[in-house]
Amino acid sequence: MSASERPSGQQQTGRPTAGATADSAFLRACRREPVPHTPVWFMRQAGRSLPEYRKLREGTAMLESCMRPDLVTEITLQPVRRHRVDAAIYFSDIVVPLKAIGIDLDIKPGVGPVVERPIRTRADLERLRPLDPDDVKYVTEAVGTLVGELGATPLIGFAGAPFTLASYLVEGGPSRNHEHTKALMYGDPALWAALLDRLADITSAFLKVQIEAGASAVQLFDSWVGALAPADYRRSVLPASRKVFDAVAGYGVPRIHFGVGTGELLGLLGEAGADVVGVDWRVPMDEAARRVGPGKALQGNLDPAVLFAPRAAVEAKADEVLEAARGLEGHIFNLGHGVLPSTDPDALTRLVEYVHTRSASRAPSVKV
């Protein structure tokens, strides 16, 4: 990073100023404290929507790029430079810790993670050994470098939740109906519980590596859990998710929980132990707050497809989100899911500036 590109608050040494991230708008919002403006970051902000990302990734497979600290660092920093978002999200994939412990899988372009031998029997569980920090030394290195480069901009750690990881492992890849996953969950609840428990330990270890290297917050992605009814979530998923959140609670960093299509599960996502509950675009923020209950910040929730509309329409929809979030205990502006690959990067940059400006005009004076 050049001096002109370096996020504000960073010393010339490349190390963050003491306590700089603690006073960031993002972490203040996570803690439900007053903010000078509504903080903004985007899921999948580092990725295919950026031409600099596509150029950097040319000829490099996805999993390889996740295991190279130089690429992880640069890719994570790209949207911070371009969009001036309030937080960076560690560039990775939810299957990285599974690959690190020896599961035979690959991320196939246009398909997603594909597992060579799905896990469907008790004997298969033995392939899920514990994750050791030495398995992911590249994560420790990349996070350490990023913390120095980001300065006052917080870094969010990243991991997949036990249910979503289990779905990939049991199905052998992405699934529309999760038939094998649900068959195992309903048909052999003891094996299902053992599978999620092992995945909870692996996920916890992966998040601990990132936090101990310097991540300021962590987000647990449960991309597919919206496929479940609330009773099934409470009985068959919540214990494992809670185990992950409990495992990292002692670090004192904010814990964010997000899933897609989880309008009926919002209260349970918070109950699992999250400090911040992510909301997709299907439920207005004020209604989401009612469902989650007091004591939690919320994150969301502009429909990613809105960014393809004219600028005035994007701003109008952003106003709707901000208005619905007015008066919440804490609000982090985000999309209701990840940035779509063909999104115009300039639309994201304009949106960040708009939310900052619009929300600052409504915010009380805050000393930071």
Side-chain angles (χ1 to χ4, degrees):
M1 271 185 153
S2 69
S4 62
E5 294 173 321
R6 184 177 290 115
S8 62
Q10 185 179 329
Q11 296 174 327
Q12 295 298 313
T13 60
R15 299 303 303 170
T17 56
T21 59
D23 278 335
S24 65
F26 169 75
L27 289 179
R28 280 177 170 266
C30 288
R31 297 192 302 260
R32 295 174 287 123
E33 298 172 356
V35 291
H37 61 264
T38 299
V40 187
W41 73 278
F42 304 115
M43 290 177 281
R44 293 182 186 160
Q45 64 188 17
R48 293 170 292 177
S49 66
L50 299 182
E52 56 265 42
Y53 168 85
R54 295 194 294 270
K55 181 177 180 181
L56 187 65
R57 276 279 319 280
E58 282 180 1
T60 305
M62 177 63 182
L63 279 174
E64 180 186 350
S65 68
C66 293
M67 297 175 186
R68 285 182 48 183
D70 59 331
L71 290 184
V72 171
T73 299
E74 174 60 21
I75 292 168
T76 301
L77 291 171
Q78 284 175 347
V80 180
R81 295 194 194 107
R82 180 187 275 265
H83 304 314
R84 296 296 178 182
V85 286
D86 293 278
I89 177 75
Y90 182 78
F91 176 75
S92 186
D93 189 273
I94 64 171
V95 299
V96 164
L98 300 179
K99 183 72 171 181
I101 64 170
I103 297 298
D104 188 1
L105 58 83
D106 196 11
I107 300 176
K108 296 188 176 181
V111 178
V114 176
V115 180
E116 183 66 24
R117 294 166 53 211
I119 289 180
R120 296 176 184 171
T121 69
R122 191 163 296 277
D124 290 334
L125 285 182
E126 299 311 310
R127 290 154 51 198
L128 293 174
R129 68 167 177 83
L131 178 76
D132 188 277
D134 286 344
D135 296 323
V136 287
K137 289 181 178 178
Y138 47 87
V139 174
T140 299
E141 180 181 343
V143 171
T145 302
L146 280 164
V147 169
E149 288 287 330
L150 286 165
T153 303
L155 175 67
I156 305 169
F158 169 99
F163 175 84
T164 294
L165 293 179
S167 182
Y168 277 117
L169 287 171
V170 174
E171 300 291 339
S175 173
R176 182 182 296 273
N177 298 311
H178 309 281
E179 53 265 43
H180 295 294
T181 304
K182 291 185 178 182
L184 177 60
M185 183 176 72
Y186 298 136
D188 193 341
L191 175 56
W192 173 260
L195 171 59
L196 259 66
D197 191 65
R198 290 204 182 199
L199 291 172
D201 288 339
I202 292 166
T203 297
S204 299
F206 192 56
L207 289 178
K208 286 178 180 179
V209 166
Q210 295 171 68
I211 296 169
E212 290 176 3
S216 296
V218 290
Q219 176 156 310
L220 192 65
F221 286 83
D222 215 347
S223 306
W224 304 130
V225 79
L228 298 182
D232 290 330
Y233 179 90
R234 179 179 291 282
R235 176 177 57 250
S236 302
V237 176
L238 190 148
S241 295
R242 177 180 284 147
K243 185 176 185 181
V244 174
F245 285 123
D246 286 348
V248 299
Y251 291 99
V253 303
R255 299 159 296 171
I256 310 169
H257 203 2
F258 174 76
V260 185
T262 52
E264 298 301 318
L265 304 177
L266 288 172
L268 292 167
L269 295 183
E271 190 177 327
D275 304 297
V276 183
V277 176
V279 184
D280 74 12
W281 67 92
R282 297 170 178 86
V283 180
M285 297 302 289
D286 49 358
E287 172 60 18
R290 188 190 68 78
R291 297 183 186 187
V292 171
K296 308 286 182 183
L298 296 185
Q299 178 175 279
N301 68 337
L302 186 73
D303 185 340
V306 167
L307 289 160
F308 292 83
R311 181 172 182 173
V314 174
E315 293 177 354
K317 295 299 288 184
D319 279 339
E320 288 182 14
V321 173
L322 291 172
E323 183 59 32
R326 187 192 287 267
L328 296 187
E329 294 183 62
H331 177 224
I332 299 149
F333 191 99
N334 206 312
L335 302 181
H337 197 196
V339 174
L340 298 171
S342 54
T343 302
D344 177 4
D346 289 342
L348 290 167
T349 303
R350 291 192 297 266
L351 179 58
V352 173
E353 182 179 7
Y354 183 80
V355 172
H356 282 171
T357 302
R358 188 73 165 171
S359 59
S361 66
R362 301 176 175 182
S365 177
V366 177
K367 182 179 181 181
V368 296

